[in-house]
Amino acid sequence: MMRKLSLLFAGALMGASAMSLVYGAPGSAANAAGSETYKQLAIFGDIFERVRANYVTPPDDKSLVENAINGMLASLDPHSSYMNAEQAQDMRVQTKGEFGGLGIEVTMENDLVKVITPIDDTPAAKAGVLAGDYIAKIDGEEVRGLTLNDAVEKMRGPVNTPIKLTILRQGADKPIELTVVRDIIKVKAVKYRVENDIGYMKITSFTEKTYDDLENAIENIKKQVPNDKLKGYVLDLRLNPGGLLDQAVSVSDAFLKRGEIVSTRGRDPKDVTRFDAKPKQVDDINGKPMIVLVNGGSASASEIVAGALQDLRRVTVVGTQSFGKGSVQTIIPLGENGALRLTTALYYTPSGKSIQGKGITPDIKVDQPLPPDLQGRDLTRGESDLKGHIKGADESSTGSGSAAYVPPDPKDDLQLIYAEKLLRGEKTDPAFPPNPDKAVLNQ
């Protein structure tokens, strides 16, 4: 039976989303169109038939319709789009945070799939796949000529089904053949570690598992460092393109004792939805100081978290201007035909400000220099640079966004180093620690 749901989507164009559930029948009728609209639709139908009949090569009808739909939606804003059945299913897989697969993080290099790292205790790791391996063939089919998405799709599949990988490994005199049996892969949405007396937590995306992963990270950090020794926490939201709205609310709630987290406002002035923290005596980290890191790769759901904790003066935000995506998309299921992603609202921080086209301005700006091999390349990311974006109420000529770069080695990470020095008292700044009595609230 088809679920009669729509999904609030607030993700950036970088691959993720931020959503909560909203009820609505798939394919529900919009307001009746006027006679002039039907005349225009008749023109479209006429052109469609003429293209089908007279174009120099026979076009694919399905592609024509999909491209026409996407052309209409793209004219609205950069985040509204049509997803066919395959794309809609992929979106559901991404937000669920688990799938049938091998358990490897990969990239594309020299037209081959390069293994960044195998995830611990997954089929790939158990079969002997190593970081740095190149996958040349998947079930005997050459990887060259495939996109990364195509290759990933081939490696995913039903649980308990085998797949044969042909691997090129440095030092091996011939290709290595490995057979891996797919299993359920649960992607960790939160990575964490202890830096002596500081708990570090990085949220990579907001999936259905993010809040549970965060709570697990907090619990394990507390076990590793006694409360009297723990200086505080760093919450890293850099390069986080977004995720589920309800998870962004839950993550914010974990660090708050009370207060509004975010509100969404639609076309109708009366269409306002507010999300508040659950009142409690102490937050999940026992009131310890915390610093949030953001950059141009921090978008949507991650900006909801940063904005809420900043406005309520729970944290100090360090880094550079965030992406600035403050629009909400509703995912309207279309049955076997996929889904419609349509911008239906804007979201606002507790102070009542829209970050659309503006972003979150850090309390302490710390730039991260680019390494020599990246200098000269434009790594700046921002909503205000997107063609056709909705102009935000607080957007200025300065725009939003900044460089979306984080060094792979923490020793080179100036933003992280600055945050840790603040927590340890090795650096001082008027913005740290923040004063909760000076919370900026919407009156």
Side-chain angles (χ1 to χ4, degrees), residues 339-354:
L340 168 64
R341 174 166 43 198
L342 187 66
T343 299
T344 55
L346 298 176
Y347 66 77
Y348 294 77
T349 67
S351 64
K353 292 183 178 179
S354 166

Side-chain angles (χ1 to χ4, degrees), residues 89-100:
Q89 174 59 26
D90 187 57
M91 181 269 296
R92 286 189 286 270
V93 167
Q94 289 187 41
T95 57
K96 188 174 180 61
E98 66 178 46
F99 53 86

Side-chain angles (χ1 to χ4, degrees), residues 296-331:
S298 307
S300 195
S302 56
E303 292 175 295
I304 290 173
V305 175
L309 299 179
Q310 182 185 54
D311 277 4
L312 297 176
R313 297 294 187 263
R314 175 62 183 90
V315 306
T316 297
V317 178
V318 172
T320 55
Q321 199 79 8
S322 67
F323 187 85
K325 183 187 178 299
S327 62
V328 180
Q329 282 68 47
T330 299
I331 303 300

Side-chain angles (χ1 to χ4, degrees), residues 23-52:
Y23 292 93
S28 56
N31 294 332
S35 58
E36 185 61 31
T37 301
Y38 286 113
K39 289 180 182 178
Q40 298 298 320
L41 288 173
I43 294 173
F44 170 79
D46 184 32
I47 293 173
F48 178 76
E49 290 302 331
R50 289 178 184 272
V51 169
R52 292 181 69 231

Side-chain angles (χ1 to χ4, degrees), residues 6 15 17 54 76 86-87 115 135 139 144 150 163 170 191 202 232 249 268 284 289 322 348 419 432 437:
S6 297
S17 51
N54 300 314
L76 300 174
E86 183 178 334
Q87 293 166 334
V115 178
I135 300 174
D139 279 337
R144 292 183 190 277
D150 289 338
I163 181 173
Q170 186 174 6
K191 299 178 180 179
K202 179 178 180 61
V249 170
D268 186 338
D284 292 7
S322 67
Y348 294 77
F432 181 81
D437 294 333

